[in-house]
Amino acid sequence: MSVVRLNFPGPLRLFLCLSICLSDGCRAVSGVYTDNDLLMPYPDEDYNDNRVKVRRSIGSCRRPYNGTVNFQEWISSRRAPGHQSVDVQRFVVSLPENVGQEKWVYGLWTVVDDPVRLVTVLEPGGPGGCAAQRRETVTATTISCGGCVVAVNAGFFRPATGACIGAVISNTQQVPGTQFSHNAAFGIRHDGSLVFGYVPPESVEQHGYWREFVAGVGWLVRNGKIYISESKEQECSDTQETGTIDRFINALSARTVVGHDSHGRLIIVHIEGHTDHRGMNLWELADFLVRQGVINAINLDGGGSATFVVNGTLVSYPSDACPHENMWRCERPVSTVLCVRAPERVCQPPCLHGHCVNGVCHCDGNWAGIDCNTPSCLANCSGHGVCTAAGCECDPGWMGSTCAEACYPGRYGRSCVNVCNCSQSCSCNRMTGSCSASTNENVQDPVLNCFASQLAEEQQKGRATEQLAWSVMLATAFLSILLMLSIMGNVMAARRYCRPNDGACRYQPLLQLDACGNVGITENSWESSEFDGGLERHRVNFRMGTPHES
């Protein structure tokens, strides 16, 4: 096997890439795609090519634990800010095909220093893409998200629905609309280690444990050795039922692979191809990776999904036909994207309250620190407050934007909003509001003067209270006398017009009102009334509330 790597200068490399692209008419048609070069490890939506329901779908097979660790960790390379590098090279490799014949395979090889700082997983079209089951081209995703110097397609998806397959973690956040699958995966932990293999679900779901995570299908290289046979059994134990996984492994096709070398540098490999016509099968690809010194490698989505973009420009050769004419080739809308950010656009740790310029955080407002996460205030709040994100929070007795001003006389407390309640001879503590002796130099004995003033105020308050009490007592006595006089007047008037001994005064029967407002009487009785000195008797009958005289 012979390998030729072509490392073109920047302008020439871009010219060649654009020439290939334009000559083949790679024009993406937004929202329209053919998916005519599908290479899937399992039937889509649990159906095979004959639309017969099968028992297995991607991620449904159990992984054999057998008490062994089923993934590999490797410490990633680290470089000081400004010293990271991203190296992209084209290669041509000759592989034996038939007896006495050989085939040539083209591809791109990317080496990323310090992947913890530079590599991230993007959702299709930006945040929310997986939840919306959205599909978008790698070019469009990198343009919308920005900052990717290199980008390739990553995880698998359901062509019929656009749903992302497998768990996805992007920039430390679990992506909504995704769930764990028992397939080979690649991830970056917070501690800077690269992880490849079959990660247990309890580890994936552990909050704050991962920076990036995406699932593939097939662990190609493990510890520098080809691992396809073992991986096939772990991907699914009943592959012989449909044989789809075998075709996925053995077919010539375009491929996308992520791995690492012995230095902890991330390796991203793109193989040009078209299913069953050109490209590599996974056995050839794994052997090629081992010969190039790759330690661990995971297979990502391939076939018509295989895409390689540099600085927002497609530089790979798509295998999907364009919708309007089969002669032309178009970039396929895919799912997640593996993005390598330009070193000069990356700050680590990330700028939480600012923006990154040439690897250095420029902080906003009242923020400082290498990650713009430390509150910063002018003059450190003059030593009379605490610096917060909103500015200085002054201690009691102080005010102003820098807490340099004491409370005005007669005010106290936090922000000096409380009003003092002290006499003129006593000063008010601007922090607590308590009254104390005046320090005026003209006062001979400030302590006694303040005490006497306070005592005088208390006495004045007492006298005012006593005067109010006497006023209330006098008013009450006056009202009581008026009430007694009113009662006596009423008694005298009654004795004057009603003389029981003369028989001219009779008590009248009580009248009642029923619920409807009709007048009733407690009993039938005779009523006596005195009219012009004569005594007349009347019989009063009450029927239906209307009185009748008889």
Side-chain angles (χ1 to χ4, degrees):
M1 178 181 68
S2 60
V3 177
V4 180
R5 291 184 179 179
L6 305 178
N7 192 6
F8 299 113
L12 180 58
R13 184 189 309 169
L14 181 59
F15 171 77
L16 291 176
C17 293
L18 290 175
S19 299
I20 295 174
C21 183
L22 293 176
S23 64
D24 287 272
C26 54
R27 295 168 293 177
V29 181
S30 177
V32 181
Y33 36 88
T34 59
D35 287 342
N36 57 0
D37 184 15
L38 286 176
L39 180 64
M40 300 184 63
Y42 307 106
D44 185 34
E45 300 293 347
D46 298 332
Y47 288 88
N48 61 20
D49 293 338
N50 297 321
R51 306 308 296 165
V52 177
K53 186 87 171 182
V54 296
R55 292 191 296 107
R56 185 194 69 250
S57 65
I58 187 168
S60 64
C61 301
R62 292 185 177 181
R63 296 175 295 105
Y65 285 94
N66 298 328
T68 60
V69 176
N70 238 7
F71 58 90
Q72 295 292 137
E73 301 177 64
W74 200 276
I75 300 299
S76 66
S77 65
R78 303 299 293 266
R79 293 290 183 91
H83 294 276
Q84 303 103 329
S85 66
V86 179
D87 182 32
V88 180
Q89 300 182 89
R90 285 191 176 274
F91 66 84
V92 180
V93 57
S94 173
L95 300 176
E97 188 173 26
N98 297 317
V99 178
Q101 296 181 341
E102 61 180 6
K103 64 177 181 179
W104 294 88
V105 178
Y106 300 84
L108 295 113
W109 186 283
T110 305
V111 180
V112 182
D113 276 329
D114 205 350
V116 176
R117 297 174 185 260
L118 303 184
V119 176
T120 186
V121 177
L122 303 178
E123 294 185 67
C130 285
Q133 297 188 351
R134 183 167 58 226
R135 291 176 58 182
E136 191 55 87
T137 63
V138 175
T139 301
T141 296
T142 58
I143 291 175
S144 63
C145 296
C148 299
V149 63
V150 171
V152 298
N153 63 292
F156 288 80
F157 61 94
R158 295 286 189 189
T161 64
C164 301
I165 294 178
V168 178
I169 297 175
S170 175
N171 194 25
T172 73
Q173 300 299 314
Q174 182 83 37
V175 171
T178 64
Q179 59 183 353
F180 178 82
S181 64
H182 295 289
N183 300 99
F186 157 70
I188 302 177
R189 285 180 174 164
H190 267 296
D191 61 4
S193 59
L194 307 176
V195 179
F196 296 82
Y198 298 95
V199 182
E202 57 271 16
S203 174
V204 177
E205 296 167 359
Q206 188 173 352
H207 180 71
Y209 195 63
W210 298 90
R211 293 182 60 88
E212 313 292 337
F213 190 91
V214 66
V217 172
W219 191 351
L220 305 185
V221 179
R222 180 174 185 175
N223 280 335
K225 298 180 180 179
I226 298 176
Y227 196 67
I228 295 177
S229 296
E230 297 85 349
S231 176
K232 184 176 74 170
E233 294 302 319
Q234 295 181 63
E235 289 283 341
C236 197
S237 61
D238 59 346
T239 55
Q240 297 304 317
E241 181 180 337
T242 64
T244 309
I245 190 69
D246 283 327
R247 167 170 166 72
F248 178 78
I249 293 173
N250 295 320
L252 296 179
S253 189
R255 305 286 183 173
T256 303
V257 174
V258 59
H260 73 89
D261 62 12
S262 59
H263 302 289
R265 299 178 300 180
L266 197 71
I267 306 296
I268 300 174
V269 180
H270 169 85
I271 302 295
E272 301 281 12
H274 188 286
T275 303
D276 295 331
H277 296 285
R278 51 190 172 84
M280 284 188 181
N281 63 42
L282 293 186
W283 294 104
E284 294 170 335
L285 181 54
D287 180 70
F288 171 63
L289 296 173
V290 169
R291 290 176 180 272
Q292 301 306 312
V294 173
I295 305 300
N296 289 284
I298 295 295
N299 178 68
L300 300 176
D301 195 8
S305 297
T307 308
F308 198 97
V309 172
V310 175
N311 289 326
T313 301
L314 177 68
V315 298
S316 59
Y317 185 94
S319 59
D320 265 3
C322 293
H324 58 281
E325 188 176 349
N326 190 56
M327 170 183 173
W328 308 107
R329 291 293 177 260
C330 285
E331 183 180 356
R332 172 188 294 177
V334 295
S335 181
T336 51
V337 170
L338 196 62
C339 165
V340 182
R341 300 193 183 278
E344 63 273 11
R345 300 178 185 175
V346 176
C347 290
Q348 188 67 25
C351 307
L352 300 180
H353 300 94
H355 55 282
C356 184
V357 178
N358 295 326
V360 179
C361 286
H362 290 246
C363 303
D364 300 331
N366 296 321
W367 295 97
I370 61 173
D371 58 352
C372 296
N373 198 32
T374 303
S376 174
C377 300
L378 293 175
N380 196 26
C381 299
S382 304
H384 302 302
V386 178
C387 185
T388 67
C392 288
E393 183 177 324
C394 300
D395 296 333
W398 298 93
M399 62 181 185
S401 59
T402 60
C403 301
E405 304 175 52
C407 290
Y408 298 131
R411 296 279 181 170
Y412 75 96
R414 194 174 295 277
S415 300
C416 303
V417 298
N418 301 315
V419 179
C420 295
N421 189 24
C422 298
S423 67
Q424 295 181 353
S425 300
C426 297
S427 63
C428 174
N429 188 301
R430 65 171 179 263
M431 291 181 288
T432 64
S434 61
C435 301
S436 60
S438 174
T439 57
N440 193 328
E441 295 178 356
N442 298 325
V443 179
Q444 297 295 329
D445 193 342
V447 177
L448 293 179
N449 197 352
C450 177
F451 177 75
S453 177
Q454 292 285 84
L455 183 60
E457 289 183 0
E458 294 297 331
Q459 290 176 348
Q460 185 177 359
K461 291 179 181 178
R463 284 194 297 269
T465 303
E466 185 178 357
Q467 290 176 358
L468 179 61
W470 277 107
S471 298
V472 173
M473 290 175 62
L474 290 175
T476 303
F478 179 73
L479 293 175
S480 299
I481 293 173
L482 290 179
L483 179 61
M484 293 293 293
L485 292 176
S486 177
I487 293 173
M488 292 177 63
N490 290 335
V491 171
M492 294 296 291
R495 288 180 62 81
R496 193 163 126 196
Y497 291 102
C498 184
R499 298 184 297 276
N501 294 336
D502 295 340
C505 189
R506 296 288 187 273
Y507 293 104
Q508 303 297 324
L510 297 176
L511 298 179
Q512 296 178 338
L513 293 176
D514 61 18
C516 297
N518 299 319
V519 179
I521 192 169
T522 58
E523 61 179 351
N524 293 332
S525 63
W526 290 99
E527 181 180 41
S528 297
S529 302
E530 186 176 5
F531 297 98
D532 299 330
L535 186 62
E536 297 181 1
R537 295 182 182 275
H538 301 271
R539 177 71 172 177
V540 182
N541 294 323
F542 291 85
R543 294 188 180 90
M544 298 298 292
T546 304
H548 300 275
E549 183 175 326
S550 58

